[in-house]
Each structure stands twice: as structure tokens, then as C-alpha cells.
């Protein structure tokens, strides 16, 4: 949407905040992937650091605990030589006392240059980006069921490394689309990068209304949905979803939508299997697939660092460039 | 005090009046139209040339926030805003703190409103004790204390048996029930219309059927119990269709729509504009168009006024509080429907005067000789913006910078000028 | 230039040097030198984009080709190759990056063109050609095949 675009890009079209994939032009997504490619070599250095963000302060502002995601952002920031401060605020304590806005003002007063935000409410990163001072960048590390754009970009990076191009690919996203911020960002990224087809597969209880308007085809059957697919993206099934009566049991879910070697055989022979992690073995994916030759799940984790470095460097650099102009 | 309002175009839909004439007011009442009664000496002249003179507006649904949430608004601040909006009577729902489930709270609100002196404030009593949806309230006592109806506001009565008994009991005392039709399970703490937009934004959706199922259930209960029921702020085409069909079959049911639902749709949420976070949620354009069409069938328009402090709207969309401070946009948004060819001017004014008066079962909403001189005078041509004039303590409105047509210049309450544009 | 470099390697008795070109022009020059010297070690390429000192002024430019140093850097004799030596800032950035890969025994700097106007205390050990340029003139290497030098006025 235009709103997203206005907020995320500077006047001269550089990436200022990274809140959502939606609304970003293809060229920006490609520049993230290209820049990330450049950062992959840093891991080979004996000093695994580049001095790009030396003297900058990055605050990891996590209102929803996630050690994994926070750690990858922290590693990315440190490899860019930035100073990193971690703030874990459980929403319960936040609601007791100061408002989100107050928390933000306080941290901003400590000369913060970037916020990496995770929050359980959709739109939280967007809200924060609207509030921060002009020199501060905001990166969305996951907001509610809305977006998780860096995860989507590392998935695109992984796909590009395997196939080289996006145009001929058929991609299937399987599982709990209803609650998945990752899936929404992936869909926007895949359609912006113009893959051949994006499919979503799941029971009707987990496929949100009107998702077809995001440019995807909806399937409720794995066999039909996986046919001729190049990339299979499995989504994590949150255990707590069972209490909401979205599925009757993990067992029955696995029977219908679990990715087994037999089901994977419906896809193209060279198809890769992805998962944003952490995986539930035996719930959404069989161990034989998760650990199998077609799985690129660990590559995704590795690529996550370079992609996050790229997003941090690009957003921080945009203000600098703006000042020059 | 004797007042003459001269030169204005008098529109009184209740009596099919639309003519340029003078109005004479004495002792709080309209005493004559056209010619001064004998011996009438004017104390005050109001020149209404080029303006429209109509009955004071009756707002079916406005929260004043007092008692309990004075940081959002007070009876004084909000009734003053109401007077500036041309409103002379408003009805406030029972979800104050304390809740209006005893005569004392109802009396307190009316007394404070009387002291403020800007508008006549009516109250709805709680349908269930503490609005908890379990035990029916002392409806007769509430009626005797002046409550014009009973309502559970936005708190659900999930138990159909409780609703049945509440309707039966209310019907016993001929007390109308004001319903917010929303199935609590389908509502599921949602915050936007369920559809492509809520999906894109990752917001929990409130499906259309949350409203239609509740409407259908309550209509069946009305048929069974004979209670008089009023459906507040309907948001869906199908919900409205059900109510109007039941009405056509002779059931004692009525409905209103909030002014913002007649102009905004889910699209206006854009990227998490919390000012468009309302309950029921903004629906589709199809719904909006159907609600607009219903206005020729006796449906009232209300403000659904809900003032908030700035903090209530400063946050991620789902965490903000729903509601629009709508009092001061009530008239201009209704007049906008006339500009857009949806309604005749007379029907527009009826939806703010005669229809709500009939639904609430009160005298008023007319300027016939002998009625209380509750009068609104407005300049239909004047262009203005809420941002420059708002008096409500809450400035939470997505209409703040809209170009509005039609500005109230005078409001009279029982023959007394309570607002004059400065 | 290759001869100068060969003489220098001989004089200092450097065994198995590791040649590294700075992207993009430095890599082209290094490829030619590498062929002529027939060095045993693989040719390395350096992308100094992330070590530049002007990030806070111009931000980053997306660049697909990352640094590729297949050889060990620690205790090695490095031959660093660039096309044009000007302010010295690029070489400083390159040295910083190399040191993040390890501690070399020595670094020899070879450039195709030295156009003067240094802003940092950095000198080349081997220079193809020295030119004095007027203010506002730029020199640029076009390549990779064939390599040509171009002087433009801005």
C-alpha cells in the first residue's frame, strides 16, 4: 500500500525503515539481496566484523520473547560493529506501567540510532516508525500476525541462491496462514519478485478470509497443492492454536498436512524445503524431510545474518545519504 | 425571554413543513409560526436569513464519560460540545462507572446535565446487573427513575435464556430494549471487518455474521416475547435488511446507524489508522451503501460519540480503544449525504429529529406550536473544519480535517440560547 | 610494472606471495599481473564497500560480489593491487579489511596509476605510471577487456 511505501522510503527512494515488504518496489528487494550477498564473506574473516556501523547504537526492543530472532539481529548488528542493547519487555509489565510511547521516548533519549522491534500486536512497528526522530530507523522483527519482513527476505535470499532467478518458480506455503506474519511477508515478497505462482495450503480454519486477494491460489489438499512446486515453505503450527479449536489434534493435522517424504515427492524432484523455525517434528514436518537432502532449513539460519546486516546497513545509510543531499 | 427567529427556512419533517417563516418563542415554547401572537414583545432577535431552522437534534447514542472516565470527557465538556453541534437531546448508554443499574446513577447524570444546562440528557438503564449478562436488572425502578430504555451496551448477553427473560420482563413494563447486535464468540476480540483488509493487516477480523446471527437471534426473541427492540449502530447490509424486513412484518423493532458508518469503510483503516478503530468495525462499501439506502425507511442517525484522551489512540491498532468523538460531525456528515444525493434535506433532518424522537418515545423532534423550543439553526453553505472548532474533550476523529458543509450558528434549549457561534 | 614487481619480490626474497585485487579496477590489473608473474597462490579479490570511511555520508551501495580470499592471510606476504592511487582512503580501507582476515607478514602496494593528491600517509611500492592531474580532472580505468585509461573533466 502507498502508506507503507511512504513511511518506509526516503524522498529519493532509499530504504529508511523496514516495516513490511508490502509497498516496496522490486528494486529495493533486489538491493537487499545483493547487499546481503556482499556480507556473506564477513563470516569467513578471522575478525568477523566490518566497521560500517561503528559508534551506532541499536536497541533490540522485544515485547515478545524470542531468543532466536533476537540473537540473529544481535549477531548481525555486532558484525557491523554497532553497539547493541537488548530490551525485553513483557507486554504484561508494559501494560502495568508506562505506555509503549513512553518506553520509546526513554530509549530514544539514550541516543539510539535504530530500533529492532518485535511486538505481539499487528501494526506495532508501523506505529513506532511513525513516532521516532528523523535519524532513527526502525526494523520490524515481527508484529502480531502482520509482518516479519527480514525472515521473508532471508527466505528469498535462500531461494535465489538455489535457483538463481524467481520468474519460473512455483512456491507453496503450507500450514497456519491465519496467524502467520512470516507467510504474509513471504507472499508479498514472492509476488513482488514475480515468481510464477504462489500457493497456500491448509485447512479452511487456518486460511484467512480474502487471502486470494494477495495474489495466491488456495489449496486444501497437499497432493494437489504440491504438484510441480519448486519451493515448499512449511509454517510452524503453534501449539496454543489447538485451544482455539482451529484443528482437532496434532495427530490429525500431521495426517493431512504434515510434510512427509511421500508428500514431498508430489513436488518437483529438485524442490527445496524451507521452514522459518523452530520446527515441530512430527507435527508439521517429518524428521526425514527436515533433515533430508532437500531441506535448506539450516542455510536459512545462516543466511539470516547476512540479510539482517544488509537491512541494517541500508536503512542506516539512507539517513546519511539524505543528509548529504 | 421572548425570542423571534426571523427569515430562516423552517424544516420540520414531523409535520412536513418546509417554508421560510418566522418563529416566536416564549416561556420555553414555540408559541407561533409566521405571525407574532398578539401582545408579543421580542426580547431577542435571531436573524436566520439564509439559514435553516430545524428541531434541535436528538442523538440516540453519545457517551459523556462521566461518571468514571472524566479524563476522556465530562458531562460539562461533552454537553457543551453537543450544544455547539445543534443537539438538544442525547441519550447515553449505561456503561458508565458506576454502571447505570440503579436509579441513583441515572439521577446523578441527569442532575449534573441539568446543572450544566446545555442539553437534555436521557439515560439508558442496564439490562443486566453490572452488565454482566447474568441477572436481569431492576428495570421498573430504572424506568421510574427516567431511563428511556435498557441496554447491555457492548457487553454480551451470551446466554439466550437470560436474553429471553430480559425481553419478557422489559415487555412487562413496556420498556424498550436497546441492542448492540454482536455475537460474542464470533466477535472474538476482533478489531476490524473480517476480509481481505484484516487479513492483509494481520488484524483479528470480526465477521459479518457476528452481527447477523445476533440480529437473527434477537429478532426471534422479539417475536416470541413481544418486547420493543431497537438495534443500535448496525454495520452490515444483511443485519439492516433483517431488521427492516421484521419491521415490515409488523414487529416492534427500529434501528439506527452511526454517522461515520455512512461515510467510512474498512479501506479507511489504511495502515493502522487507529482513529478508524470503531465497534462495530467499518465494513465494506457494499455495507455502507446498503446502510445509506436504509435511511429513507425510518432509520435514525446517531453520533456514537466516544471521546478519548490522546493516549487511548496512540498505540498499535488492536491495542487502541475503539470509538470516534462524533458529536460535532453528526450534522455535517448527515448533510454531506444530501450533497451526495443519498437523501433529501428533509429526510436527513428527520433522521436526526423526528425518527429518534419516535424511537425513544419522547416528545420533541418537532417545532409545532406548543412544543418545547429546542431548536437548531444552521448555515447550510458554510464550509468549515472540525480541527478549528472542536469543543469535545476528545479529538479522536478521522474527520478532523475534512471540509464540512453546514455549520450550526444557534442552538436553543427550551427557549434559551445555549450556543451561539462566536 | 610486472617487471618492477618481479624485481621487488626477488629483492625481498618473498616466497609464495598472495596477490589481492581491490574491486573493481584493481582486480582487472591484478588479473594481468597474476598471469604474467605466474604466482602459485590463488588470486584474491577485495570488496572494500563495508570498510569505507564515507558510510555516514553516502550510505552503502548494493554490490553483488563479496570479498573472496581463498588463501590464508596470516603470516603471508600480500601484494595489494589497485588501479588508481589517489587520496589513499581506499588503500586504508583495504588494509583494515585484510587485517580482519589475519595478520599478514607484509603488504606490498602495487598501483597502475599514481595521480598524487594524497590525503593519508600511504605510498605505493610499485607504480605503473605517475600522472599529475589538474583539479577537477578524473582518471578512470575501463575494462576488463581491453583495459584503457580515460581522463575526464567534471
Amino acid at each position: 500500500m502507498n502508506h507503507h511505501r511512504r513511511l518506509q522510503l526516503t524522498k529519493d527512494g532509499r530504504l529508511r525503515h523496514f516495516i513490511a515488504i508490502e509497498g516496496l518496489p522490486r528494486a529495493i528487494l533486489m538491493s537487499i539481496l545483493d547487499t546481503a550477498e556482499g556480507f556473506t564473506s564477513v563470516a569467513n574473516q578471522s575478525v568477523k566484523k566490518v566497521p560500517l556501523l561503528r559508534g551506532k547504537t541499536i536497541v533490540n526492543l522485544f515485547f515478545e520473547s524470542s531468543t532466536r530472532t533476537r540473537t540473529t539481529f544481535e549477531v548481525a548488528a555486532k558484525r557491523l560493529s554497532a553497539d547493541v542493547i537488548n530490551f525485553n519487555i513483557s507486554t504484561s509489565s508494559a501494560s502495568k506501567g508506562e505506555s509503549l510511547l513512553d518506553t520509546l521516548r526513554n530509549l530514544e533519549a539514550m541516543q539510539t540510532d535504530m530500533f529492532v522491534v518485535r511486538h505481539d500486536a499487528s501494526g506495532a512497528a508501523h506505529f513506532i516508525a511513525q513516532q521516532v526522530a528523523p535519524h532513527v530507523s526502525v526494523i520490524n522483527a515481527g508484529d502480531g500476525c502482520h509482518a516479519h519482513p527480514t525472515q521473508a527476505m532471508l527466505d528469498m535470499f535462500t531461494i535465489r541462491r538455489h535457483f538463481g532467478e524467481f520468474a519460473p518458480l512455483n512456491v507453496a506455503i503450507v500450514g497456519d496462514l491465519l496467524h502467520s506474519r512470516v507467510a504474509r511477508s513471504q507472499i508479498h515478497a514472492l509476488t513482488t519478485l514475480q515468481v510464477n505462482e504462489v500457493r497456500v495450503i491448509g485447512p479452511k480454519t487456518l486460511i484467512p478470509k480474502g487471502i486470494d486477494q494477495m495474489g495466491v491460489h488456495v489449496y486444501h489438499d497437499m497432493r494437489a497443492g504440491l504438484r510441480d512446486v519448486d519451493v515448499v515453505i512449511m509454517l510452524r503450527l503453534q501449539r496454543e492454536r489447538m485451544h482455539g479449536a482451529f484443528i482437532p489434534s496434532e495427530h490429525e493435522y500431521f495426517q493431512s498436512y504434515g510434510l512427509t517424504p511421500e508428500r514431498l515427492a508430489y513436488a518437483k524432484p529438485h524442490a527445496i524445503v524451507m521452514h522459518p523455525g523452530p520446527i515441530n517434528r512430527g507435527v508439521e514436518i517429518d524428521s526425514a524431510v527436515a533433515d533430508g537432502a532437500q531441506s535448506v532449513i539450516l542455510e536459512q539460519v545462516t543466511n539470516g545474518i547476512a540479510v539482517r546486516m544488509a537491512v541494517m546497513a541500508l536503512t542506516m545509510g539512507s539517513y546519511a545519504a539524505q543528509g548529504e543531499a | 425571554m421572548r425570542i423571534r427567529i426571523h427569515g430562516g427556512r423552517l424544516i420540520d419533517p414531523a409535520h412536513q413543513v418546509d417554508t421560510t417563516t418566522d418563529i416566536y418563542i416564549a416561556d420555553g415554547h414555540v408559541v407561533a409560526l409566521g405571525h407574532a401572537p398578539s401582545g408579543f414583545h421580542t426580547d431577542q432577535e435571531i436573524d436566520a436569513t439564509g439559514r435553516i431552522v430545524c428541531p434541535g437534534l436528538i442523538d440516540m447514542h453519545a457517551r459523556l464519560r462521566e461518571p468514571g472516565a472524566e479524563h476522556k470527557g465530562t458531562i460539562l465538556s461533552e454537553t457543551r460540545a453537543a450544544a455547539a453541534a445543534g443537539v438538544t437531546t442525547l441519550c447515553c448508554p449505561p456503561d458508565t462507572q458506576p454502571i447505570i443499574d440503579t436509579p441513583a446513577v441515572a439521577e446523578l447524570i441527569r442532575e449534573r446535565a441539568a446543572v450544566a444546562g446545555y442539553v437534555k440528557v436521557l439515560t439508558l438503564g442496564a439490562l443486566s446487573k453490572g452488565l454482566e449478562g447474568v441477572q436481569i436488572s431492576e428495570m421498573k425502578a430504572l424506568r421510574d427513575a427516567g431511563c428511556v430504555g435498557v441496554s447491555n451496551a457492548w457487553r454480551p448477553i451470551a446466554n439466550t435464556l437470560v436474553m429471553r427473560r430480559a425481553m419478557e420482563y422489559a415487555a412487562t413494563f413496556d420498556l424498550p430494549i436497546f441492542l448492540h447486535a454482536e455475537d460474542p464468540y464470533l466477535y472474538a476480540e476482533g478489531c476490524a471487518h473480517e476480509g481481505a483488509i484484516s487479513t492483509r493487516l494481520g488484524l483479528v477480523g470480526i465477521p459479518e455474521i457476528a452481527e447477523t446471527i445476533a440480529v437473527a437471534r434477537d429478532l426471534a426473541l422479539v417475536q416470541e416475547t413481544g418486547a420493543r427492540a431497537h438495534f443500535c449502530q448496525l454495520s452490515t447490509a444483511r443485519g439492516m435488511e433483517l431488521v427492516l424486513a421484521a419491521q415490515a412484518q409488523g414487529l416492534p423493532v427500529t434501528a439506527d446507524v452511526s454517522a461515520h458508518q455512512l461515510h467510512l469503510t474498512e479501506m479507511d483503516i489504511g495502515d493502522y489508522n487507529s482513529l478508524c478503530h470503531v465497534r462495530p468495525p467499518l465494513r465494506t462499501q457494499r455495507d455502507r451503501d446498503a446502510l445509506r439506502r436504509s435511511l429513507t425507511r425510518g432509520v435514525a442517525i446517531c453520533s456514537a460519540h466516544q471521546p478519548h484522551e490522546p493516549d487511548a489512540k496512540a498505540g498499535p491498532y488492536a491495542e487502541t480503544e475503539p470509538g470516534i468523538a462524533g458529536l460535532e460531525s453528526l450534522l455535517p456528515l448527515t448533510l454531506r449525504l444530501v450533497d451526495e444525493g443519498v437523501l433529501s434535506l428533509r429526510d436527513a433532518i428527520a433522521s436526526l429529529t423526528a425518527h429518534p424522537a419516535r424511537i425513544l418515545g419522547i416528545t420533541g423532534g418537532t417545532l409545532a406550536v406548543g412544543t418545547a423550543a429546542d431548536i437548531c439553526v444552521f448555515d447550510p453553505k458554510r464550509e468549515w473544519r472540525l480541527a478549528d472548532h472542536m469543543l469535545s474533550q476528545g479529538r479522536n476523529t478521522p474527520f478532523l480535517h475534512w471540509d464540512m458543509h453546514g455549520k450550526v450558528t444557534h442552538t436553543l434549549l427550551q427557549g434559551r440560547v445555549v450556543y451561539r457561534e462566536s | 610494472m610486472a617487471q618492477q614487481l618481479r624485481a621487488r619480490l626477488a629483492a625481498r626474497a618473498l616466497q609464495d606471495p598472495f596477490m589481492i585485487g581491490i574491486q573493481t579496477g584493481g582486480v582487472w590489473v591484478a588479473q594481468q599481473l597474476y598471469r604474467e608473474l605466474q604466482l602459485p597462490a590463488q588470486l584474491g579479490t577485495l570488496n572494500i564497500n563495508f570498510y569505507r570511511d564515507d558510510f555516514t555520508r553516502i550510505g552503502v551501495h548494493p554490490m553483488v560480489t563479496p570479498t573472496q580470499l581463498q588463501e590464508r592471510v596470516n603470516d603471508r606476504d600480500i601484494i595489494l593491487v589497485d588501479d588508481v592511487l589517489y587520496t589513499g582512503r581506499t588503500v586504508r580501507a583495504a588494509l583494515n579489511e585484510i587485517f580482519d582476515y589475519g595478520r599478514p607478514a607484509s603488504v606490498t602496494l602495487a598501483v597502475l596509476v599514481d595521480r598524487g593528491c594524497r590525503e593519508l600517509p600511504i605510498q605505493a611500492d610499485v607504480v605503473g605510471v605517475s600522472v599529475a592531474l589538474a583539479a577537477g580532472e578524473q582518471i578512470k580505468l575501463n575494462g576488463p577487456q581491453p583495459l584503457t585509461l580515460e581522463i575526464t573533466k567534471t
Side-chain angles (χ1 to χ4, degrees), chain C:
Chain C
M1 195 176 160
Q3 273 166 14
Q4 275 185 58
L5 195 53
R6 193 175 288 130
R8 181 152 187 111
L9 295 181
R12 297 193 51 188
L14 299 184
Q15 302 297 315
D16 192 23
F18 177 17
M19 184 177 280
I20 300 172
I22 300 174
Q23 282 177 19
T24 329
V27 175
W28 299 334
V29 177
Q31 280 164 343
Q32 291 215 351
L33 290 172
Y34 181 78
R35 269 197 299 277
E36 292 189 29
L37 294 175
Q38 295 186 321
L39 298 176
Q42 284 196 62
L43 180 65
T45 62
L46 211 55
N47 175 352
I48 57 125
N49 203 10
F50 305 133
Y51 285 80
R52 301 167 65 105
D53 60 5
D54 53 3
F55 169 72
T56 52
R57 287 174 35 214
I58 62 167
V60 287
H61 300 289
M63 198 181 267
V64 189
T65 329
T67 291
Q68 286 177 320
L69 302 181
Q70 292 91 338
E71 300 272 337
R72 170 177 57 83
V73 168
N74 241 352
D75 297 328
R76 287 295 281 279
D77 296 303
I78 307 277
I79 305 167
L80 182 61
V81 182
D82 203 1
D83 49 356
V84 179
L85 179 57
Y86 179 26
T87 61
R89 290 178 191 272
T90 302
V91 174
R92 183 211 64 99
L95 287 171
N96 283 8
E97 180 162 2
I98 288 169
F99 274 72
D100 279 349
Y101 279 83
R103 180 180 182 277
S106 72
V107 179
T108 300
L109 177 61
V111 297
L112 181 62
V113 180
D114 182 349
R115 62 157 292 184
C117 296
R118 214 76 77 240
E119 291 170 6
L120 296 176
I122 284 171
Q123 297 304 329
D125 301 295
V126 174
V127 176
V129 52
S130 291
V131 289
L133 291 183
E137 281 183 324
Q138 298 286 337
I139 189 162
K140 185 168 172 271
L141 182 68
N142 294 317
Q145 288 298 337
L147 288 179
T148 55
L149 280 170
E150 184 189 352
I151 295 176
T152 54
K153 271 188 187 287
T154 52

Side-chain angles (χ1 to χ4, degrees), chain B residues 17-37:
Chain B
V17 173
D18 182 352
T19 181
T20 299
T21 189
D22 297 348
I23 302 169
Y24 297 88
I25 297 155
D27 303 323
H29 290 78
V30 176
V31 291
L33 299 176
H35 298 286

Side-chain angles (χ1 to χ4, degrees), chain B residues 52-351:
Chain B
I52 290 172
V53 181
C54 69
L57 312 185
I58 301 172
D59 188 354
M60 305 262 326
H61 205 99
R63 283 182 169 77
L64 306 177
R65 300 303 195 189
E66 184 181 346
E70 288 81 356
H71 60 296
K72 294 179 186 292
T74 62
I75 289 172
L76 182 63
S77 72
E78 301 317 294
T79 56
R80 193 166 143 249
V87 172
T88 52
T89 300
L90 62 79
C91 185
C92 68
D95 54 352
T96 45
Q97 192 53 251
I99 288 163
I100 310 178
D101 59 358
T102 59
V105 182
E107 279 155 16
L108 172 97
I109 291 172
R110 277 204 310 279
E111 273 167 27
R112 287 194 187 163
V115 169
Y118 286 110
V119 300
K120 198 180 295 167
V121 172
L122 306 175
T123 52
L124 295 176
L127 181 63
S128 64
K129 273 191 188 142
L131 299 176
E132 282 165 4
V134 180
Q135 173 84 43
I136 59 173
S137 64
E138 295 174 351
M139 294 184 203
K140 181 178 172 296
L142 289 167
R143 186 198 66 178
D144 294 346
C147 289
V148 293
V150 285
S151 160
N152 225 49
W154 280 109
R155 308 275 289 279
I157 298 201
N159 186 331
T160 310
L161 182 60
V162 173
M163 187 57 115
R164 178 190 178 175
R165 299 230 164 101
M167 283 199 189
E168 286 171 341
Y169 196 75
T172 308
F173 299 98
D174 196 29
L175 199 57
I177 288 193
F178 289 68
L179 297 162
H180 289 87
E182 182 184 76
D183 181 281
Y185 304 108
L186 291 168
Y187 159 65
E189 309 279 310
C191 60
H193 173 67
E194 183 186 87
I197 290 183
S198 65
T199 290
R200 186 172 63 74
L201 294 172
L203 298 172
V204 178
I206 304 172
E208 179 191 39
I209 51 170
E211 179 167 299
T212 52
I213 285 177
V215 167
R217 178 194 79 163
D218 293 344
L219 284 175
L221 289 170
V222 165
Q223 190 155 28
E224 170 70 22
T225 61
R228 281 197 285 143
H230 174 72
F231 290 87
C232 304
Q233 297 156 51
L234 287 175
S235 66
T236 66
R238 284 171 58 199
M240 182 61 84
E241 212 172 275
L242 289 169
V243 173
L244 294 179
Q247 201 178 49
Q249 286 167 19
L251 282 192
V253 291
T254 51
D256 71 57
V257 185
S258 61
H260 58 255
Q261 289 281 6
L262 296 166
H263 292 281
L264 304 177
T265 67
E266 54 175 349
M267 303 291 286
D268 290 290
I269 295 173
D271 266 339
Y272 304 108
N273 181 359
S274 63
L275 293 174
C276 290
H277 182 191
V278 290
R279 184 175 175 191
L282 298 175
R283 302 281 185 185
T284 66
Q285 183 154 355
R286 191 184 67 89
D287 291 306
R288 190 202 67 173
D289 292 347
L291 295 177
R292 285 178 162 203
R293 284 193 299 275
S294 74
L295 294 173
T296 53
R297 300 176 63 182
V299 170
I301 301 176
C302 72
S303 72
H305 181 65
Q306 273 184 280
H308 282 297
E309 77 284 16
D311 275 359
K313 288 288 186 184
Y317 187 87
E319 294 187 353
T320 58
E321 293 180 49
I324 288 175
L327 263 173
E328 289 157 273
S329 50
L330 177 62
L331 177 64
L333 287 181
T334 305
L335 293 174
R336 182 178 276 257
L337 297 171
V338 179
D339 292 342
E340 293 181 18
V342 176
L343 276 182
S344 68
L345 183 58
R346 187 196 289 184
D347 281 345
I349 291 173
S351 67

Side-chain angles (χ1 to χ4, degrees), chain A residues 241-262:
Chain A
R241 298 302 170 220
M242 243 140 20
H243 305 305
F246 292 101
I247 54 163
S249 69
E250 290 179 353
H251 176 75
E252 180 154 318
Y253 180 80
F254 186 73
Q255 292 300 312
S256 305
Y257 297 101
L259 189 64
T260 58
E262 297 73 42

